[in-house]
Amino acid sequence: MHTKSSLVSDLAIALRAARKARGLSVVALAEQGGVSPRLVSEFEQGRRSHVSLETALRLLQLVDVPLTIAGTGSMVSEEVAR
């Protein structure tokens, strides 16, 4: 079972890896996500764990990171992110 901090850490690692794989800078992702580059940078580095679920999902969606709900195999839909 994931703790909140390990889940946030996993999401941050996934976000950074996917952003880099797509050749996006922190600034470019922040602009697309409507957040500050500082928020993206601190979230990716694990220095900001208090990012809203909506913001985290939006950023992850922008870099095509698929999310599933543990134990269900269900994908988190776009509707959930809204």
Side-chain angles (χ1 to χ4, degrees), residues 10-24 44 63 65:
D10 289 350
L11 292 175
I13 290 166
L15 179 65
R16 184 173 191 206
R19 177 184 59 75
K20 287 186 166 203
R22 282 157 185 73
L24 285 174
E44 286 185 351
V63 293
V65 173

Side-chain angles (χ1 to χ4, degrees), residues 4-68:
K4 181 180 177 185
S5 63
S6 69
L7 177 59
V8 170
S9 177
D10 289 350
L11 292 175
I13 290 166
L15 179 65
R16 184 173 191 206
R19 177 184 59 75
K20 287 186 166 203
R22 282 157 185 73
L24 285 174
S25 68
V26 168
V27 172
L29 179 58
E31 286 176 356
Q32 289 178 23
V35 297
S36 72
R38 182 176 177 175
L39 181 143
V40 173
S41 178
E42 289 179 355
F43 181 61
E44 286 185 351
Q45 294 173 23
R47 295 190 333 230
R48 182 182 289 215
S49 60
H50 292 89
V51 172
S52 74
L53 179 59
E54 178 183 1
T55 297
L57 290 175
R58 183 172 59 247
L59 293 173
L60 291 163
Q61 185 177 34
L62 286 169
V63 293
D64 297 321
V65 173
L67 296 178
T68 58

